[in-house]
Amino acid sequence: MVALNKFVKAIVFACLVAPLCWLGWQISLELQQPGSALGADPGEAIVHYLGEWSIRILLFAFSITPLRRLLKSRELARTRRMVGLFAFSYVVMHLLAYLFFYLEFDWSGMWVEILERPYITVGMSALACLLLMAVTSTRGWQRRLGRNWRLLHRLIYAAITLALIHLWWLTKDGFEDLVVYTLWFMVLLWFRWRSVSQQLH
Ligand code: HEM
């Protein structure tokens, strides 16, 4: 049982690290031969790439509970915290890439962007929800907050909703991925709503 837990965790971990390895590889190709791997604007490509993986991993974290029920897998449930922390880390890297490539770490410029660009305000709000969840994800906080811990971790609903609003706001063409992410979220909401209503009856 312990071996199976470790095996499932290792597989999930490898899947979550793989996109970063691929990005590292593309950056090294780009450094050797500019324009060969990341297109005309490598900074933009990196910001977008990290953003795409942020939303995918966030949705994956939200899928674990229904998947666990469908597959009757307790091992998968044990990966939930790790997946959540990875989602948070990807968003932080997305933010850092944006600060580096778009703003060159001009902090005052960042406050102007947060105030003036609604899609940045919404993205930062999603990040704030994830930050609260990441900080309180430890056993110690779970014990300290008791029943309120579950309530606080419902912030995942707000974080994904805000992330999707961020995406709908900034996307100008090529809406296919966005439609898939939104449908994925809606199916998960339906699944959760169905299991709550089954428990009530
Ligand atoms: C949960 C939080 C977030 C998620 C899931 C997310 C996701 C994404 C995705 C998928 C894209 C690419 C869209 C495309 O390819 O068309 C993107 C772009 C972008 N995001 Fe985020 N984001 C989040 C938070 C943030 C935050 C906190 C910031 C910065 C303060 C930010 C700034 C940007 C910027 C500047 C772009 C590129 C816009 C452009 O080039 O036109 N995002 N985001």
Side-chain angles (χ1 to χ4, degrees), residues 44 47-56 58 87 91 94-95 98-99 102 110 113-114 117 119-127 130 159-160 162-164 166-167 170-174 181:
E44 189 184 285
V47 171
H48 282 227
Y49 179 83
L50 290 167
E52 292 291 350
W53 280 101
S54 303
I55 187 71
R56 287 174 196 161
L58 208 51
V91 180
H94 173 60
L95 169 67
Y98 152 79
L99 285 174
Y102 286 43
M110 188 181 92
E113 293 254 305
I114 292 175
R117 291 196 192 205
Y119 79 82
I120 299 274
T121 321
V122 173
M124 288 301 268
S125 312
L127 177 63
L130 294 175
I160 299 179
L162 289 164
L164 289 172
H166 168 73
L167 284 177
L170 69 88
T171 305
K172 287 170 198 82
D173 49 33
Y181 300 143

Side-chain angles (χ1 to χ4, degrees), residues 21-46 49:
C21 297
W22 190 86
L23 182 60
W25 169 244
Q26 297 302 305
I27 292 174
S28 79
L29 289 178
E30 188 67 36
L31 290 173
Q32 284 163 35
Q33 200 181 344
S36 63
L38 291 169
D41 188 340
E44 189 184 285
I46 292 171
Y49 179 83

Side-chain angles (χ1 to χ4, degrees), residues 80-135:
R80 201 169 39 189
R81 176 165 182 259
M82 178 177 77
V83 179
L85 288 175
F86 260 98
F88 171 66
S89 311
Y90 270 84
V91 180
V92 171
M93 287 186 275
H94 173 60
L95 169 67
L96 290 175
Y98 152 79
L99 285 174
F100 180 71
F101 292 111
Y102 286 43
L103 299 183
E104 293 169 349
F105 286 115
D106 167 12
W107 299 102
S108 55
M110 188 181 92
W111 290 113
V112 175
E113 293 254 305
I114 292 175
L115 294 175
E116 287 185 356
R117 291 196 192 205
Y119 79 82
I120 299 274
T121 321
V122 173
M124 288 301 268
S125 312
L127 177 63
C129 295
L130 294 175
L131 175 67
L132 264 177
M133 292 173 68
V135 169

